[in-house]
Structure formats: C-alpha cells, structure tokens
Amino acid sequence: MNYKTHKKELLKDKAVKVAHEKLLPEYELARSIINQRLKKKMTQQDVAKRTGMPQPTIARIEGLTHGLPNLATLKKIAKALDAELIITLKARKTA
C-alpha cells in the first residue's frame, strides 16, 4: 500500500478526517517554510543566523512541535528566506 492509498483509507474515519483538517493549515505553513528553505539551498542553521534565532527554534517551527510561531517570527523567517509572507482568509468550500 502506498502513501496516497493509505491516507485515503485513513481519511474515511470521520475522527481522523476532522483531526487532519484541523491541522492542515499548520502543516501547510511548515511545509512552505521548508520548501522555501530547500529552494534557497539553506540549512536550518543558515536561517537561524539570518533571523537571530537559535537553530533548534527553526527546527521546532518546521516540526510543529511547539505550536505556531507568532507573526513577528514568521516575518523574520520570510525575510531570511527572501520570501513574501502572505496571510489570507478564504471562504470555505461548501459541499
């Protein structure tokens, strides 16, 4: 069984689907930070130096182990990655 098939099976469970949807914004944020960092061929240590934060803090943000970073922290990371920080609210899709 591959990842996509396994994920599809798991999401059939309503509780799993609710939990997945609840964490999706955090996951998307962490994934975008990691993708930008890798695109720039930077290490967590490189980002840490540019932001003035310790490398373990960058690791915790990317790993979502201590909740979401605040807006000021996201701005520092965006600047360090020479990226634009865009925060939007979108209407939910109705079924």
Side-chain angles (χ1 to χ4, degrees):
M1 179 181 293
N2 65 28
Y3 170 77
K4 287 184 179 184
T5 304
H6 184 62
K7 180 179 172 184
K8 189 175 179 179
E9 286 296 315
L10 289 173
L11 292 175
K12 288 180 182 178
D13 182 321
K14 187 175 181 177
V16 172
K17 186 174 182 176
V18 168
H20 176 265
E21 289 173 358
K22 183 179 176 185
L23 291 174
L24 196 56
E26 288 89 341
Y27 172 75
E28 294 284 334
L29 175 62
R31 187 172 71 178
S32 70
I33 292 169
I34 294 166
N35 286 342
Q36 284 297 316
R37 180 174 61 76
L38 294 176
K39 187 186 286 187
K40 298 284 184 180
K41 296 182 170 59
M42 294 174 69
T43 64
Q44 289 178 346
Q45 187 64 41
D46 295 331
V47 175
K49 285 179 187 175
R50 288 188 179 192
T51 60
M53 293 185 269
Q55 179 275 328
T57 299
I58 302 302
R60 284 192 295 272
I61 290 168
E62 289 185 359
L64 297 174
T65 59
H66 284 78
L68 286 174
N70 64 36
L71 188 55
T73 300
L74 290 174
K75 287 178 180 179
K76 286 181 185 179
I77 292 170
K79 184 176 180 182
L81 295 171
D82 192 28
E84 183 178 9
L85 177 62
I86 301 171
I87 300 171
T88 61
L89 295 176
K90 293 182 182 180
R92 292 183 181 177
K93 295 178 183 176
T94 56

